[in-house]
Amino acid sequence: GCETMDSVDVIVSTESALAMPNAFAPGNSGSNNTLKLIRRGQAELKSLRIYDRWGVLVFESKNIDEGWDGKYKGTPQPTGVYIYQVDAVAPGPNGTKRNFNQQGNVTLIR
């Protein structure tokens, strides 16, 4: 015969968010076959660049929906750590534009 009440506040953010995974496994069945920018909301990709450990540019794109499949000139690249650079623009608060520049590393797993 006891009753209880509760409430939950949901805050909806209209701000865009961008992030990069820290690992991916191309060629395996599943949803982790390509390395691409994770986004919430709208964003414009100026460039996504992936370099191997010797500084060779192995992938470049300006298409935010395109990802790296772990190949360079059609050849699967070995397991290892690769460097990425992201340059994008996303809507910010009050109609402003926010630059998103990030560098980091990602592990390719075979």
Side-chain angles (χ1 to χ4, degrees):
C2 297
E3 279 188 37
T4 184
M5 287 185 86
D6 198 357
S7 65
V8 175
D9 292 330
V10 177
I11 300 170
V12 178
S13 174
T14 58
E15 220 173 293
S16 294
L18 302 169
M20 280 294 282
N22 62 2
F24 79 115
N28 295 331
S29 61
S31 61
N32 201 15
N33 287 326
T34 58
L35 174 70
K36 58 184 171 180
L37 199 58
I38 299 169
R39 68 181 160 139
R40 182 188 73 217
Q42 298 296 315
E44 175 190 342
L45 183 63
K46 292 181 178 179
S47 69
L48 167 60
R49 294 183 180 107
I50 312 285
Y51 299 90
D52 68 12
R53 63 191 239 179
W54 296 281
V56 175
L57 180 65
V58 295
F59 177 79
E60 182 174 25
S61 180
K62 293 182 180 181
N63 181 348
I64 200 161
D65 296 316
E66 184 180 13
W68 182 42
D69 62 1
K71 296 179 182 175
Y72 176 58
K73 296 184 178 180
T75 303
Q77 295 303 287
T79 295
V81 177
Y82 293 78
I83 307 301
Y84 69 83
Q85 292 179 328
V86 177
D87 185 14
V89 176
N94 303 321
T96 61
K97 293 210 175 210
R98 233 176 22 147
N99 288 327
F100 178 83
N101 300 305
Q102 184 175 348
Q103 299 176 31
N105 58 53
V106 60
T107 302
L108 185 154
I109 302 166
R110 293 258 180 223

